[in-house]
Amino acid sequence: MKIIRKIREMQAEAEKIRINGGKIAVVPTMGFLHEGHMSLVDIAKKHADHVIVTIFVNPTQFAPTEDLDKYPKDFKRDCELCESRKVDAIFNPDCKEMYPGDSSVWVVEERLSKGLCGRTRPTHFRGVTTVVAKLFNATLPHFAIFGEKDYQQAAIIRKMVRDLDFPVKIITGPVVRESDGLAMSSRNKYLSPDEREKALSISKALQEARQKILRGERTAGKIIGGINLRISQNGGRVDYVEIIDSETLEPLKKIDGKAVIAVAAFFGTTRLIDNISV
Ligand code: AMP
C-alpha cells in the first residue's frame, strides 16, 4: 500500500493507473477510521481495481469555534485498517500542501447547502465541496464513495458533480451502526460513557418514528415532535429534526413518498448526526 503526501505525486500515480486502463475509486475521509469508512472501501473494491483512501482533516469545513484542533487522529491504526482491507494507496497531504496560503477560489453549492447542517454551520459545505473538488483533481477517480450517514453532504457532492461536469460517478453506502444502533462516527470518541448511553436516544427515536410511519402516521410535525421529546428527555440538545424530500432536501409537511428523517443533536459538547430513509 502506497502512502502519498504530495498532490503532484498522487496525480502522477493516478495518471499511470489510467493509462494502463485501470479504474480508480476514491473514498474521501478525515481519518480515525471505523467500520463505516471501511464499508465504503468494500463498495469501492466492487467498482474499481484501484482504491484510494484520502485522509485529510480539512480545516476549511470547520468554523473557528469547532473541534478542528482536537479532531481524533490515529494514522498508524488507519494505515493498518486500510492495509487489511487491501487499499492500494492512502493520500494523506498536509494543510500546506492542500492550502498553500494564498487560496482564493471556492466551490460553493447554493441551494442544498442552506438548510439542515448548513443553517448552524454556514461555511461548512463550501469547505466540503472545495476540498472534495481538490481531492478529485488529485486522485483523478472514476468513482467516489460517500456515506449516507452524511446525507446532505452526499446530495451536495452529487449536485456539484452534475453542475460542474466532473467525470466521476458518485456512489453512496448505507449508515453503518454499532450493535446497539448508534451510528458509527469518529466523533463518538468524545462521548463519556454516560453521554454514549444517552446518545442512543437518537437512533432509538428514529426507529420509533419509522414504526409510527409504518402504522400510518403521515404528519411530519407529529413525528418530529416525538423525536425532539425523546432526545431532549435524554439530555440531548437538538440542533434540528427534519423530514425532508430525499432528493431536493426540502422539508415535508406530509409524508407521501420517499423521505429522509434527519437529526443533529448535541450530547455534552459533541454534535452527532444521524438519519433514516422512510
Ligand atoms: P468522515 O471521516 O467523518 O468525514 O467521513 C468520511 C466518509 O465516511 C463520509 O462519506 C461519511 O459519510 C462516511 N461515513 C462516516 N461514518 C459513517 C457510517 N457510520 N456509515 C457509513 N458511512 C460513514
Side-chain angles (χ1 to χ4, degrees), residues 1-3 13 17 23-27 33 35 37-54 77-91:
M1 186 180 72
K2 291 186 175 159
I3 296 172
E13 177 69 18
I17 296 167
K23 293 279 184 218
I24 302 172
V26 69
V27 181
L33 302 178
E35 273 308 307
H37 299 112
M38 299 328 281
S39 71
L40 305 181
V41 168
D42 294 343
I43 295 173
K45 289 240 136 219
K46 292 197 180 116
H47 288 86
D49 40 29
H50 285 79
V51 174
I52 302 169
V53 171
T54 71
R77 192 172 155 273
D78 289 350
C79 287
E80 286 162 6
L81 266 174
C82 286
E83 188 100 56
S84 73
R85 299 292 254 267
K86 308 228 167 344
V87 167
D88 297 276
I90 292 180
F91 179 51

Side-chain angles (χ1 to χ4, degrees), residues 28-31 34 36-37 39-40 71 145-150 153 173-176 183-186:
T29 81
M30 298 208 297
H34 50 67
H37 299 112
S39 71
L40 305 181
Y71 197 83
I145 326 295
F146 291 87
E148 283 157 22
K149 158 90 182 348
D150 298 80
Q153 168 174 285
V175 182
V176 177
M184 287 190 185
S185 165
S186 308

